[in-house]
Amino acid sequence: PGEEWANGFLKRHGKTLTKRCAQNIKLARAAVTPEAIGAYFDHLGASLEGVLPENIVNYDETNLTDDPGTKKVITRRGAKRPERMMNHSKSSTSIMVSGAATGHILPLYVCYKSRELWNSWRVGGPPGARYTRTPSGWFDARTFEDWFRTIALPYFRKRPEDERKILIGYNLASHVSADVLKLCEELNIGFVLLPRRWVVERSFAWATRFRRLVRDYERLPQTVDGLHFIGFACLMPHRAALAYGR
């Protein structure tokens, strides 16, 4: 069918279909099930049992990447964020963000895509931030070990030696090395790899569609908890309807 047929099809079904720009996601990220989310929290609860919040550090690698653009697609009228499954190359600058369960944020670790690290790239950055570079702009075993020794380890050394400590991160091969695991064992640090952590992260991303949840405006945690309840009360019926084809 050509463009004329498509325009006629949209005109005939104008009450149920519309054209929107689709977001790009990979096929693996579309495979989300309630069982995967439940397994995530079961694993997390068992790993953190009896550990003080000050001794729990979560890290994650994020990227500033190129944008492959969006395409207009035909979707059901009323759908706010249609998604398009695709794989695409990324040219990125990676940033390792880490923080304790108490809310304390550790210094950032920035990895540029370059063979040289110029001094001007380190001027005016966040306090205490460290910088490195790789040819791809992504973290490898060397850069992750440097982050562990220069960012995570100094924080853990400030805690009592007899207290159990937990380092939580995504299960990337570049985030595991024999030297890092040996140091964790010597310093009583549990290294927890959580598979499919993006499942929960995407739920948090859904919540940021509500203006009051984009920033931490509230004084009381009970207020934030209530707003999240309201937000997901609005989101989940729509998700359930999509899942059951209603």
Side-chain angles (χ1 to χ4, degrees), residues 51-62:
V51 181
L52 296 176
E54 295 85 352
N55 295 338
I56 302 172
V57 171
N58 181 212
Y59 68 86
D60 197 8
E61 175 186 346
T62 188

Side-chain angles (χ1 to χ4, degrees), residues 22 39 41 74 78 99 108 129 144 159 177 184 194 196 226 236 239:
F41 282 106
I74 298 175
L108 297 180
F144 178 79
R159 305 298 306 161
S177 70
C184 288
L194 298 176
R196 296 170 61 87
M236 297 316 295
R239 294 286 167 180

Side-chain angles (χ1 to χ4, degrees), residues 50-99:
V51 181
L52 296 176
E54 295 85 352
N55 295 338
I56 302 172
V57 171
N58 181 212
Y59 68 86
D60 197 8
E61 175 186 346
T62 188
N63 299 276
L64 307 177
T65 65
D66 62 342
D67 187 355
T70 58
K71 294 288 186 180
K72 285 190 175 180
V73 298
I74 298 175
T75 184
R76 183 175 59 83
R77 183 172 293 277
K80 295 182 179 180
R81 294 177 180 268
E83 296 174 334
R84 179 171 60 128
M85 292 178 290
M86 64 173 297
N87 292 317
H88 56 85
S89 61
K90 296 180 179 180
S91 176
S92 63
T93 296
S94 299
I95 303 174
M96 185 70 81
V97 183
S98 53

